[in-house]
């Protein structure tokens, strides 16, 4: 689940995902247990390390063209979940779009997507691997 999250959400944008801006678009990961928090924190550290390596590759690029390389996604304990109003349920399907399309375009973290992969096809495993605290890869 974390690998899918990091492959589809730009974790470096504050209060924004793609062209959508506002506090309601802040990315967050909400955990239910101490082990979920630990696993998520470790995954975030791994992704941050990858981002810092990517930043080194663009050191000669002007800052305004570089993009952000610091994770700003919130990591918080899960609270009461409130379902969206019915008019917001299955939003993409109501527009005639497949639900997976919203996770691939325009909202994505290009660092973790294969540029050769056809983005109009259903998403496939892009090779992102994250290990949990027990050493399991997923």
């Amino acid at each position: 689940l974390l690998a899918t999250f990091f492959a589809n959400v730009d974790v470096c944008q504050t209060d924004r995902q793609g062209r959508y801006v506002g506090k309601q678009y802040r990315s967050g990961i909400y955990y239910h247990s101490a082990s979920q928090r630990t696993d998520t924190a470790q995954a975030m550290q791994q992704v941050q390390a990858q981002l810092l390596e990517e930043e080194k590759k663009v050191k000669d690029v002007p800052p305004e063209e570089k993009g952000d390389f610091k994770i700003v996604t919130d990591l918080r304990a899960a609270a009461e979940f409130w379902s969206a109003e019915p008019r917001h349920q299955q939003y993409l399907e109501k527009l005639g779009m497949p639900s997976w399309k919203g996770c691939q375009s325009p909202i994505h973290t290009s660092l973790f997507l294969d540029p050769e992969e056809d983005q109009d096809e259903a998403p496939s495993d892009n090779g992102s691997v994250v290990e949990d605290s027990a050493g399991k890869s997923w």
Side-chain angles (χ1 to χ4, degrees):
L1 184 58
L2 287 172
T4 299
F5 177 84
F6 287 116
N8 291 292
V9 174
D10 188 338
V11 296
C12 298
Q13 288 188 332
T14 303
D15 296 343
R16 177 183 183 130
Q17 285 299 309
R19 66 180 182 199
Y20 304 102
V21 180
K23 287 184 181 179
Q24 69 271 30
Y25 296 106
R26 177 174 295 186
S27 64
I29 300 175
Y30 304 93
Y31 57 88
H32 292 273
S33 68
S35 65
Q36 285 180 347
R37 185 191 186 294
T38 299
D39 292 345
T40 304
Q42 288 175 348
M44 290 175 85
Q45 288 174 349
Q46 290 176 1
V47 171
Q48 185 63 70
Q50 289 176 327
L51 289 167
L52 292 174
E53 288 301 313
E54 287 297 314
E55 183 177 30
K56 289 177 187 176
K57 294 177 184 176
V58 294
K59 64 182 177 184
D60 296 329
V61 175
E64 64 274 6
E65 296 176 23
K66 256 190 190 182
D68 297 318
F69 291 90
K70 182 177 185 296
I71 293 177
V72 294
T73 296
D74 289 338
L75 175 58
R76 298 182 182 193
E80 184 173 356
F81 178 79
W82 299 88
S83 291
E85 299 165 337
R87 66 189 172 105
H88 294 295
Q89 298 292 335
Q90 306 304 319
Y91 178 75
L92 294 175
E93 284 84 353
K94 288 177 183 174
L95 295 176
M97 296 173 63
S99 61
W100 58 263
K101 186 66 174 174
C103 292
Q104 291 295 311
S105 177
I107 305 170
H108 67 276
T109 303
S110 59
L111 173 64
F112 300 101
L113 294 177
D114 180 354
E116 300 298 318
E117 184 176 311
D118 184 353
Q119 297 301 310
D120 289 330
E121 296 294 322
S124 62
D125 179 10
N126 62 14
S128 296
V129 177
V130 178
E131 288 189 6
D132 64 18
S133 59
K136 294 179 187 171
S137 295
W138 32 270

